[in-house]
Amino acid sequence: MNGTTRVFLLSAVFFTLSVFAPADGFSKENAYPLVKLADTTDCYEASLEYPVFGQPALDQSVRGWAEAFFAQETGELRKFCAEAERNPDSPKWEFGASPQVFSSNKTVSIEFSVYTYTGGAHPNHETLTLILNEEGKTLGYAD
């Protein structure tokens, strides 16, 4: 299990606790401006939105994570498109991620609702959570 997987697993637990334990001071907020990353080809359409908090260190961390994740996912789509024998009449493949922000006075938890469609009966869905402190440090087990 690599470090990113551990952070995501921990963040899923942390997110669950934050939703079911509102006495911890967490609030659900959607008032932050969003930046949208997008890429479209003949084979796929991809987009990812991430929040901007107006705190340079925190924003840099979120932007870095979002850009890296988007590059990874669009790279996979490009690879699949190059290798696949797709019917040109079939729908474009899709990737999308949109955030939900939960915050306290010292941490921010961003839940990304992710979907991917590469043909078939239905898209795939997953939830990824990124947890950071006010300095933009990704929080892990020891934190």
Side-chain angles (χ1 to χ4, degrees):
M1 183 180 307
N2 65 33
T4 303
T5 303
R6 284 192 295 267
V7 169
F8 286 131
L9 290 174
L10 172 64
S11 60
V13 170
F14 188 77
F15 167 73
T16 302
L17 292 174
S18 70
V19 170
F20 294 107
D24 289 342
F26 276 84
S27 64
K28 182 176 172 181
E29 300 182 32
N30 292 312
Y32 299 105
L34 299 176
V35 172
K36 183 175 186 176
L37 304 175
D39 187 20
T40 301
T41 70
D42 291 341
C43 182
Y44 69 84
E45 293 181 5
S47 67
L48 179 146
E49 294 180 320
Y50 65 89
V52 176
F53 299 97
Q55 298 176 30
L58 182 57
D59 289 341
Q60 182 179 1
S61 293
V62 173
R63 180 179 59 250
W65 181 89
E67 288 175 350
F69 181 62
F70 188 72
Q72 173 187 320
E73 294 299 309
T74 55
E76 288 293 316
L77 284 171
R78 276 193 290 280
K79 178 182 165 190
F80 293 152
C81 288
E83 295 173 355
E85 295 180 19
R86 291 183 68 244
N87 179 338
D89 296 329
S90 64
K92 285 186 177 186
W93 291 348
E94 296 179 44
F95 163 78
S98 57
Q100 182 78 46
V101 176
F102 299 84
S103 64
S104 73
N105 58 351
K106 296 192 183 225
T107 61
V108 172
S109 175
I110 309 167
E111 173 191 291
F112 288 91
S113 177
V114 180
Y115 72 92
T116 307
Y117 175 76
T118 55
H122 56 80
N124 295 312
H125 297 274
E126 63 183 310
T127 300
L128 302 176
T129 305
L130 181 63
I131 301 174
L132 305 132
N133 67 12
E134 63 270 12
E135 289 91 29
K137 178 186 175 212
T138 303
L139 301 179
Y141 290 116
D143 303 314

